[in-house]
Amino acid sequence: MKHIISIKDFSREDIDTLLARAGAIDAAPQIRKTLDGKQVALLFFEPSTRTRMSFTSAVSRLGGTSITVDSVEGSSISKGETLADTVRVVSSYVDAIVLRHPKEGAARLASEFASVPVINAGDGAGQHPSQTLLDLYTIRQSMPLDGIHIGLLGDLRYGRTTHSLAYALSNYDVTLHTIAPQTLELPESLVAELHKRGCRVEEHEDITDIMPELDVIYATRIQRERFPDAASYYNVAESYRITPEILEGHKEGMIVLHPLPRAGEIDPRVDALPCARYFEQAGNGIPVRMAMLEEVI
Amino acid sequence: MESGPRGLLISPIKDGTVIDHIRAGAALTVLRMLGITGQTDEELSIATNVTSMTGGQEGRKDIVKVSNRELSKEEVDRIALISPHATINIIRDYIVVEKKGVETPKLLYGIVRCTNAGCITNANEPIQSAFEVTEDGLHCLYCDTVITTDLENHII
Ligand SMILES: [Zn+2]
């Protein structure tokens, strides 16, 4: 039985296969009825409306039905039932489980107790493979993954989306440019791992140093609670904000991505520029999640 | 074990296991790792901060003798985590029938607690902690946390 728990379980070949499948779905969504007669449980122990909606939509577009548990209150969870028991019971109702849970490693645990495939829809600050796959899919819509220079911008220390994306991209011949204030750089252990996997990582503090070389800018949120006071936060936030002026002189075909929701990281004036791809990126969650469901069921 | 007057610190045992060259001060942690407590009924001799002829930490070591019990390789390998130079002697009828070093196991189940409070292994679930032993430290197979320091304090 196949589960999708962590992007680290994916080889380059696995990623390519899944992205190709998402591409085929995108090209002809109406002819897929792969989940006809199948039911998927969406177990959401942590609120995440977008991810849940996107999985619900993906299931129904494949002809399947979904049942959702999205409130801990009133369910047996609040009566002290373990996740292991919940998953064992729910397994007997459905053909697959999509799990969102506040504890890291919850999806791994669920896969050990479930008798149906488990897809991780985010566990705590841990893994969120569908996000990474849709990020890769969006880049690949514009350019091949090999040979690109990608700038990861913002809070790279605590932002899990950049960690998994960096890890996944290390399967390809890419140069990662980290653009972050010193206190929010990628964790050293991750950089060491990326180096070990043959990935080039270059650290920058100022995006203008590297702007003309970038094929992709992946912006993420800088959280206010990481700073001692409002003033130092606004200073940093301001200098990591993508504006049309910052983007001037960018490489031809360069794209700007963001996992959304955004706070102030991208000036709304950027939305109208051809390089702005973050809304398509969000929309790509559907074919990518459809491909993930097809992959495991 | 050294011969000579130091041997008098703990008397020889007839049958059982002698764990020698334990890092000085770590004997009690070793017992805890083996599940030996005041409530279990093994006959024990413990010597700590014994002068060691063969080096060890500043020339001192701990020794633990467990009578009437032959510890398994798996049980003993856990000790490698905190005392990689320990040696194990299996004794039968006062004779050392087997002498071996400890080996660091590749996978650890239920021995170390994950330092990440948000890790599912620290929730009330019917699972054991699981770590892969890598050159960087202990890698939690559930949440990816790597424990690099202070291992002794995380042993369950
Ligand atoms: Zn853990």
Side-chain angles (χ1 to χ4, degrees):
Chain A
M1 191 171 35
K2 212 164 183 177
H3 305 284
I4 298 182
I5 306 299
S6 163
I7 198 69
K8 289 191 174 181
D9 302 334
F10 278 70
S11 67
R12 176 182 170 127
E13 200 187 2
D14 295 335
I15 294 174
D16 288 341
T17 307
L18 200 126
L19 298 186
R21 192 196 281 268
I25 290 171
D26 233 352
Q30 66 286 358
I31 60 166
R32 315 293 274 213
K33 283 284 167 230
T34 347
L35 261 61
D36 229 351
K38 307 268 187 190
Q39 194 165 47
V40 177
L42 307 178
L43 293 183
F44 275 58
F45 295 126
E46 183 180 65
S48 176
T49 313
R50 288 167 198 242
T51 307
R52 200 193 62 214
M53 281 173 62
S54 153
F55 269 109
T56 309
S57 169
V59 171
S60 73
R61 284 174 200 227
L62 289 170
T65 53
S66 53
I67 53 173
T68 306
V69 180
D70 65 351
S71 163
V72 175
E73 249 172 86
S75 75
S76 48
I77 307 305
S78 57
K79 300 183 190 103
E81 184 176 70
T82 60
L83 175 62
D85 279 3
T86 305
V87 160
R88 272 192 279 222
V89 172
V90 173
S91 284
S92 62
Y93 304 155
V94 295
D95 302 287
I97 292 173
V98 174
L99 178 75
R100 172 89 169 196
H101 198 279
K103 294 275 181 194
E104 286 153 57
R108 177 91 51 207
L109 174 141
S111 71
E112 289 166 10
F113 289 90
S115 52
V116 295
V118 173
I119 294 178
N120 189 0
D123 52 358
Q127 297 289 335
H128 193 9
S130 61
Q131 178 68 48
T132 304
L133 289 164
L134 76 87
D135 292 341
L136 295 171
Y137 182 76
T138 311
I139 299 171
R140 229 185 59 155
Q141 278 182 321
S142 299
M143 61 193 84
L145 295 173
D146 283 309
I148 60 168
H149 286 253
I150 176 166
L152 303 173
L153 180 95
D155 177 357
L156 308 185
R157 177 148 297 269
Y158 304 99
R160 70 174 170 194
T161 53
T162 51
H163 297 179
S164 337
L165 180 60
Y167 189 91
L169 282 168
S170 67
N171 285 299
Y172 299 86
D173 175 28
V174 299
T175 308
L176 292 175
H177 298 270
T178 65
I179 306 151
Q182 261 173 16
T183 49
L184 296 177
E185 270 294 353
L186 275 187
E188 268 172 49
S189 56
L190 177 59
V191 175
E193 200 172 354
L194 294 170
H195 281 306
K196 218 188 273 180
R197 293 170 58 84
C199 186
R200 289 174 299 278
V201 184
E202 293 181 17
E203 300 187 354
H204 312 269
E205 274 189 71
D206 187 347
I207 187 171
T208 53
D209 294 347
I210 191 68
M211 185 64 228
E213 282 183 46
L214 297 177
D215 299 292
V216 179
I217 295 174
Y218 193 95
T220 59
R221 217 144 52 86
I222 291 183
Q223 292 174 47
R224 199 179 150 166
E225 55 269 32
R226 305 289 176 212
F227 293 86
D229 55 77
S232 52
Y233 162 73
Y234 285 117
N235 269 335
V236 167
E238 198 49 44
S239 52
Y240 287 86
R241 182 175 159 86
I242 306 283
T243 61
E245 293 73 30
I246 291 261
L247 293 175
E248 258 170 49
H250 69 70
K251 220 184 207 175
E252 177 149 3
M254 188 275 298
I255 59 171
V256 179
L257 303 179
H258 189 294
L260 302 180
R262 61 176 156 174
E265 302 85 44
I266 301 179
D267 189 318
R269 290 178 299 147
V270 175
D271 299 358
L273 303 177
C275 63
R277 292 294 162 79
Y278 27 90
F279 293 114
E280 283 93 332
Q281 182 187 0
N284 284 337
I286 301 285
V288 166
R289 288 175 174 123
M290 287 167 78
M292 290 169 77
L293 287 159
E294 277 194 354
E295 184 73 23
V296 299
I297 293 181
Chain B
M1 281 172 301
E2 287 89 59
S3 54
R6 273 172 306 273
L8 297 173
L9 270 173
I10 351 174
S11 52
I13 55 172
K14 183 169 182 288
D15 299 294
T17 305
V18 176
I19 310 166
D20 199 358
H21 300 108
I22 298 169
R23 188 165 56 70
L28 294 174
T29 312
V30 164
L31 290 175
R32 190 155 57 89
M33 289 175 79
L34 294 173
I36 298 171
T37 68
Q39 268 67 54
T40 51
D41 50 15
E42 291 88 356
E43 193 182 307
L44 293 176
S45 308
I46 303 160
T48 62
N49 293 316
V50 179
T51 312
S52 168
M53 311 290 271
T54 51
Q57 199 181 41
E58 286 131 25
R60 303 214 160 242
K61 64 173 183 178
D62 286 7
I63 307 169
V64 167
K65 298 190 183 190
V66 186
S67 295
N68 302 321
R69 187 172 149 191
E70 290 183 13
L71 298 169
S72 73
K73 179 100 181 90
E74 289 69 34
E75 281 180 304
V76 153
D77 279 349
R78 299 174 178 189
I79 295 165
L81 287 176
I82 54 162
S83 214
H85 304 295
T87 54
I88 315 302
N89 302 282
I90 305 287
I91 317 282
R92 285 184 206 144
D93 212 11
Y94 296 107
I95 292 169
V96 177
V97 294
E98 213 180 321
K99 190 181 182 90
K100 54 199 169 188
V102 293
E103 263 174 65
T104 310
K106 288 193 171 54
L107 292 169
L108 300 174
Y109 293 102
I111 294 166
V112 175
R113 188 181 304 286
C114 185
T115 51
N116 172 10
C119 178
I120 193 78
T121 60
N122 287 321
N124 182 30
E125 293 289 340
I127 46 163
Q128 290 191 314
S129 70
F131 287 89
E132 189 186 1
V133 183
T134 66
E135 13 174 307
D136 307 323
L138 303 184
H139 171 209
C140 175
L141 293 179
Y142 284 90
C143 75
D144 274 342
T145 294
V146 180
I147 307 179
T148 51
T149 52
D150 225 9
L151 220 54
E152 258 173 88
N153 292 327
H154 307 306
I155 289 165
I156 296 170

